[in-house]
């Protein structure tokens, strides 16, 4: 399920940022980090439609892909080189569910 | 195919034709190289393109005569053009091409005459030499305050770990940023040849940029020579961090151009899927792309030091945002499962991490803007 996998990845990114700088990345302030996490979180919720649709529409895939890219950019290079990130990209780009 | 170049500047017509003939072959080979996990041979790119990338990373005195295809362009313009073409053909494989690359800029900034001669002569002797630029570390990226790879000036050895270093798996030489003492003034740069005792190169399995030769460099009491330490002839304030900053500033405009090229390639793929009807989203992205191309080309031509000012941050942030928007659009479209589109989408995502993330660029832009207007004199970019 794409939505739950995105949520799990966001959870890991949030924990990673919290552990590193008590909630803020080295570039972002705490407020900006929280804003980014909140913004992504509400997009993850929308991705539920991706999972429930028989054939995901282009718009649904777009929401999921944007969500994934935002999570990776927030998390940093650690998450760009993570196997689970590659797996999520493969699922969304190949239109698998 | 790539009329964006000649529409920008008539001097780019010959380069446009040269690349137009090669691009399909480079892309097909890149997709195949990624699939089988091997680097792309430089021979797939036009020889004039590779030679110019090698020569432009060195001071004028080490360069060969410039190809007629690129004549009449300033260094800043040529760097922007080559980065655009690289991004348009294959951004990941372009990063594995021979040349002094970022290390060349660092050695130019920090090396004395003998060190420069020793370093750049490698490419005079063997233009196929690859280099690495060792700054980024696990856990804190390029944050200079937290840089933890150490240089012992007493016994002249370095220890620590560098990660996400481009072209590392192919490189035989490069520059390493290390800490010799606490504080920002304790940062130094050293020349390091590979392979060497105590230095292990570990390839990284990436989501994108998989053909960029990214690796982790593990250093365990690696011995260096006294003449490998750069910047000893410079004032303490200019021995290390300054050189790193100068290098990133110069390369930022090139990342902007590379993002522009990769985004343009994706946009053409999407438009090609329905050539008779450009949908409103494609049209909007194309208009934005044309405006960005004009902005980058103007900045590359105007800035004497290859974009070393806030304009390079503006270009980098705007171009990477645009390319990411196209990656999302193309990836989610009906052609998102094509091998080339799939690869370009994943590669574009990695451009965000190069030469400063978007948040950092926006802080630089805002700081400059507020200072210019006297709104905040105390504001500083992080």
């Amino acid at each position: 399920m794409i939505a739950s996998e995105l949520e799990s990845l966001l959870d890991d990114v949030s924990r990673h940022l919290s552990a590193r700088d008590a909630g803020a990345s080295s570039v972002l302030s705490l407020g900006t980090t929280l804003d980014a996490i909140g913004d992504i979180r509400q997009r993850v919720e929308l991705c539920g439609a991706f999972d429930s649709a028989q054939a995901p529409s282009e718009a649904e895939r777009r929401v999921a892909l944007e969500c994934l890219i935002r999570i990776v950019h927030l998390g940093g290079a650690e998450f760009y080189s993570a196997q689970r990130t590659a797996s999520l990209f493969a699922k969304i780009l190949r239109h698998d569910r | 195919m790539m009329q964006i170049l000649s529409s920008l500047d008539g001097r780019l017509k010959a380069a446009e034709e040269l690349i137009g003939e090669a691009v399909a072959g480079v892309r097909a080979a890149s997709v195949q190289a990624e699939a089988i996990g091997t680097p792309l041979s430089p021979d797939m790119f036009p020889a004039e393109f590779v030679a110019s990338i090698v020569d432009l990373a060195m001071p004028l005195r080490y360069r060969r005569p410039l190809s007629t295809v690129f004549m009449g362009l300033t260094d800043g313009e040529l760097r922007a053009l080559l980065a655009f073409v690289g991004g348009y053909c294959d951004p990941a494989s372009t990063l594995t091409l021979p040349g002094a690359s970022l290390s060349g800029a660092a050695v130019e900034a920090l090396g004395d005459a003998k060190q420069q001669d020793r370093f750049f002569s490698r490419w005079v002797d063997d233009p196929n030499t690859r280099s690495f630029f060792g700054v980024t570390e696990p856990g804190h990226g390029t944050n200079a305050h937290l840089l933890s790879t150490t240089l012992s000036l007493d016994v002249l050895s370095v220890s620590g770990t560098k990660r996400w270093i481009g072209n590392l798996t192919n490189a035989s030489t490069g520059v390493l940023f290390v800490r010799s003492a606490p504080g920002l003034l304790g940062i130094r740069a050293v020349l390091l040849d590979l392979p060497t005792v105590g230095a292990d190169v570990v390839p990284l399995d990436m989501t994108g940029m998989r053909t960029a030769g990214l690796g982790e460099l593990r250093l365990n009491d690696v011995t260096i020579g006294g003449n490998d330490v750069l910047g000893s002839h410079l004032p303490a304030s200019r021995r290390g961090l300054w050189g790193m900053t100068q290098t990133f500033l110069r390369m930022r405009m090139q990342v902007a151009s590379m993002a522009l090229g990769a985004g343009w390639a994706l946009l053409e793929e999407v438009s090609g899927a329905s050539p008779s009807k450009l949908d409103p989203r494609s049209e909007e992205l194309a208009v934005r792309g044309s405006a960005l191309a004009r902005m980058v080309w103007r900045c590359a031509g105007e800035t004497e030091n290859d974009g070393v000012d806030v304009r390079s941050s503006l270009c980098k942030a705007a171009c990477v945002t645009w390319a990411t928007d196209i990656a999302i659009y193309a990836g989610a479209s009906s052609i998102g499962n094509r091998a080339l589109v799939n690869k370009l989408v994943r590669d574009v995502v990695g451009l965000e991490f190069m030469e400063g993330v978007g948040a950092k660029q926006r802080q630089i832009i805002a700081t400059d803007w507020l200072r210019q207007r006297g709104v905040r004199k105390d504001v500083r970019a992080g």
Side-chain angles (χ1 to χ4, degrees), chain B residues 226-277:
Chain B
N227 55 2
D228 293 330
V229 182
L230 299 171
S232 298
H233 63 298
L234 297 170
S237 61
R238 294 209 156 193
R239 284 180 181 165
L241 181 63
W242 179 79
M244 188 199 301
T245 309
Q246 292 303 302
T247 303
F248 280 145
L249 285 172
R250 178 194 274 193
M251 302 310 278
R252 204 163 275 162
M253 186 65 96
Q254 293 178 61
V255 178
S257 295
M258 184 172 274
L260 201 55
W264 210 264
L266 274 171
L267 192 59
E268 285 183 355
E269 288 296 309
V270 176
S271 306
S274 52
S276 58
K277 185 182 169 191

Side-chain angles (χ1 to χ4, degrees), chain A residues 16 20-21 26-29 32 57-63 65-67 69-70 72-87 89-90 92-95, chain B residues 137-141 143 146 163-164 204-209 281 320 324 327-329 331-337 342 345-353 357 359-360 363:
Chain A
H16 169 76
R20 191 166 68 181
D21 293 312
S26 56
V27 174
L28 301 178
S29 68
T32 309
S57 68
E58 186 170 325
E60 286 166 341
R61 286 197 300 272
R62 199 177 300 161
V63 171
L65 186 55
E66 182 168 11
C67 201
I69 291 174
R70 280 176 184 253
V72 173
H73 281 173
L74 181 65
E78 283 93 344
F79 291 87
Y80 188 48
S81 54
Q83 179 54 44
R84 54 193 309 213
T85 305
S87 163
F89 266 104
I92 295 171
L93 291 174
R94 289 173 190 165
H95 310 171
Chain B
E137 296 183 352
H140 43 263
N143 187 334
L146 300 175
R163 192 182 288 166
W164 304 294
L204 293 175
D205 189 15
M206 305 295 295
T207 297
M209 294 284 176
R281 182 64 174 144
V320 171
T324 305
I328 292 166
Y329 178 65
S333 75
S334 60
I335 62 163
N337 57 352
N342 186 309
V345 168
R346 288 179 286 106
D347 287 351
V348 161
V349 173
L351 295 172
E352 166 73 2
F353 303 117
V357 296
K360 179 73 181 172
Q363 286 173 11

Side-chain angles (χ1 to χ4, degrees), chain B residues 305-366:
Chain B
N305 299 312
D306 310 327
V308 182
D309 63 20
V310 73
R311 282 177 288 184
S312 62
S313 289
L314 273 165
C315 289
K316 201 259 173 177
C319 290
V320 171
T321 300
W322 172 78
T324 305
D325 286 349
I326 294 176
I328 292 166
Y329 178 65
S333 75
S334 60
I335 62 163
N337 57 352
R338 284 188 194 165
L340 175 64
V341 175
N342 186 309
K343 180 183 185 306
L344 281 171
V345 168
R346 288 179 286 106
D347 287 351
V348 161
V349 173
L351 295 172
E352 166 73 2
F353 303 117
M354 295 167 63
E355 274 61 80
V357 296
K360 179 73 181 172
Q361 308 305 336
R362 290 190 289 276
Q363 286 173 11
I364 292 169
I365 294 162

